[in-house]
Amino acid sequence: QKEVEQDPGPLSVPEGAIVSLNCTYSNSAFQYFMWYRQYSRKGPELLMYTYSSGNKEDGRFTAQVDKSSKYISLFIRDSQPSDSATYLCAMSATRNGGGADGLTFGKGTHLIIQP
Amino acid sequence: EAQVTQNPRYLITVTGKKLTVTCSQNMNHEYMSWYRQDPGLGLRQIYYSMNVEVTDKGDVPEGYKVSRKEKRNFPLILESPSPNQTSLYFCASAGTRDYNEQFFGPGTRLTVL
């Protein structure tokens, strides 16, 4: 089963707020977890990439994976208007798979940071 | 500059008129893929290729064809487009080590009347 659930939003927050974006999944085989960011009229770009459970931090962004709960999160600190975009979670069971063994994307959350 | 390019970026056509959307990458990537993105449905994979002359169906392959004759190019062919193929199309590529780290093109907005 490939289903990944993600609230589509829109999620609107004031500049400077902490943003929490989340996805849940049902396939316990998933081990690789990603967040892609997509600006309007652009292709998605990889933002964060984690393996298995735990946290990963990169500047203002923190990715968190809880495999026991099948739940992943992306936190954005000190949010900026330039963070306004659609955020897609993605996950897979392998690094080199295709098709059903490849990436499964959430539908994306539209985030708006109000100046 | 490392990139994935797609052409055309915008296309309006009529039902049944064959069209090709080109995709090219300059990163020597093995893996290439086509997705369509629709409101409420997210990104869905159409076809993918793990190497030259190797292509496989994704989740929504009906009505589409692909070919991979060269490593850098992966065109998407719609032999007889229909209005339900109106969508935003993305090509993506990934290197040998990790197909999860995909680089996306800028997208092609296709309207079939």
Side-chain angles (χ1 to χ4, degrees):
Chain A
Q1 189 175 356
K2 295 183 66 173
E3 195 168 81
V4 174
E5 299 291 334
Q6 185 175 11
D7 187 330
L11 175 62
S12 183
V13 302
E15 183 176 355
I18 296 174
V19 175
S20 173
L21 304 169
N22 312 293
C23 287
T24 60
Y25 63 95
S26 55
N27 187 346
S28 57
F30 288 148
Q31 296 191 79
Y32 299 89
F33 303 91
M34 290 131 271
W35 288 94
Y36 280 79
R37 178 175 61 192
Q38 184 177 16
Y39 290 116
S40 180
R41 298 188 178 85
K42 301 282 189 183
E45 58 177 345
L46 183 63
L47 182 63
M48 297 289 281
Y49 188 174
T50 55
Y51 169 71
S52 195
S53 285
N55 292 1
K56 181 176 181 179
E57 188 174 319
D58 184 359
R60 296 183 296 110
F61 298 89
T62 300
Q64 195 171 77
V65 174
D66 182 350
K67 287 186 68 181
S68 62
S69 300
K70 295 189 178 67
Y71 188 89
I72 70 170
S73 301
L74 177 71
F75 298 96
I76 306 174
R77 291 184 300 281
D78 187 26
S79 56
Q80 304 293 311
S82 58
D83 295 327
S84 297
T86 296
Y87 290 79
L88 306 164
C89 64
M91 44 199 80
S92 72
T94 71
R95 290 174 63 188
N96 301 110
D101 293 326
L103 279 182
T104 298
F105 285 91
K107 292 183 175 132
T109 298
H110 182 45
L111 175 65
I112 301 166
I113 308 297
Q114 304 160 348
Chain B
E1 180 191 355
Q3 60 183 345
V4 178
T5 56
Q6 295 178 227
N7 282 292
R9 295 289 314 280
Y10 302 91
L11 180 59
I12 300 174
T13 189
V14 295
T15 298
K17 186 176 181 181
K18 181 179 178 179
L19 67 91
T20 299
V21 183
T22 64
C23 172
S24 183
Q25 51 92 6
N26 63 1
M27 295 169 279
N28 200 37
H29 283 168
E30 280 186 349
Y31 181 93
M32 297 187 75
S33 179
W34 276 103
Y35 297 90
R36 59 178 289 174
Q37 187 174 41
D38 301 287
L41 296 176
L43 272 173
R44 293 179 293 167
Q45 190 177 53
I46 303 171
Y47 270 95
Y48 67 98
S49 168
M50 299 176 94
N51 216 326
V52 175
E53 301 291 359
V54 179
T55 63
D56 270 300
K57 296 178 181 179
D59 298 318
V60 289
E62 293 76 21
Y64 304 95
K65 285 177 58 176
V66 293
S67 68
R68 187 92 181 273
K69 294 185 171 60
E70 305 166 279
K71 197 172 187 179
R72 63 182 293 127
N73 296 323
F74 190 44
L76 179 69
I77 303 156
L78 284 71
E79 295 269 3
S80 183
S82 61
N84 64 11
Q85 292 178 299
T86 292
S87 186
L88 179 58
Y89 291 87
F90 288 103
C91 180
S93 72
T96 305
R97 290 189 174 188
D98 197 331
Y99 295 166
N100 294 327
E101 187 173 352
Q102 296 190 13
F103 293 81
F104 283 80
T108 296
R109 172 76 65 183
L110 173 65
T111 301
V112 183
L113 301 174

